[in-house]
């Protein structure tokens, strides 16, 4: 996903450490400098920028991902239903590299988070009510 100013891209890629998993990275388009944003042993993916470019929202999964480019949409949805440990997290992008904050905690899938344009509201899809529904939240709000 492009940052609002068009200078950076945020994406998920496989990291190979003692455990292979997906992490979030940012690349500066002008310099080709890549920065690793997450380093947890969980899988992080589906990142999106806040409109001010200070925050990245993403999904973390505590289990093993089975995503393959050859899988059908039906198989991917079946995997999501079988693995309810998908939660939405947010991380401030700054020189201090502060930790992430978990925004959702539900028994169902939470995913595909997107920031609203020019605002601080998030939209995401959740199975917390038993079906895939669209939800919104204001991180840090009540």
């Amino acid at each position: 996903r492009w940052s609002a100013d068009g200078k950076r891209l945020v994406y998920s890629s496989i990291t190979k450490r003692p455990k292979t998993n997906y992490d979030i990275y940012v690349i500066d388009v002008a310099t080709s400098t890549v920065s690793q944003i997450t380093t947890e042993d969980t899988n992080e993916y589906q990142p999106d920028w806040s409109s001010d470019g200070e925050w990245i929202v993403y999904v973390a999964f505590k289990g093993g991902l089975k995503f393959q480019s050859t899988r059908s949409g039906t198989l991917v949805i079946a995997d999501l239903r079988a693995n309810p440990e998908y939660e939405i997290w947010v991380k401030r992008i700054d020189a201090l590299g502060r930790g992430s904050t978990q925004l959702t905690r539900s028994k169902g899938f939470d995913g595909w988070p997107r920031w609203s344009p020019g605002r601080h509201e998030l939209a995401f899809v959740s199975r917390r009510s038993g079906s895939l529904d669209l939800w919104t939240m204001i991180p840090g709000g009540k």
Side-chain angles (χ1 to χ4, degrees), residues 43-126:
N43 293 288
E44 297 90 31
Y45 59 103
Q46 298 178 355
D48 192 33
W49 290 99
S50 62
S51 59
D52 61 11
E54 293 184 19
W55 297 87
I56 291 176
V57 66
Y58 60 92
V59 173
F61 176 60
K62 306 296 183 190
L65 288 177
K66 298 178 183 176
F67 288 118
Q68 300 169 358
S69 61
T70 58
R71 293 186 62 178
S72 72
T74 303
L75 290 175
V76 170
I77 293 298
D79 187 40
L80 296 177
R81 288 180 179 157
N83 298 294
E85 300 171 349
Y86 293 80
E87 301 293 348
I88 297 174
W89 292 69
V90 67
K91 185 167 187 165
R92 187 177 182 96
I93 304 303
D94 61 17
L96 300 177
R98 296 181 182 141
S100 300
T101 302
Q102 187 172 352
L103 297 179
T104 63
R105 185 170 275 114
S106 71
K107 293 181 181 179
F109 166 80
D110 291 325
W112 296 294
R114 294 295 178 255
W115 292 99
S116 61
R119 302 197 52 211
H120 296 288
E121 189 173 21
L122 285 171
F124 63 99
V125 174
S126 180

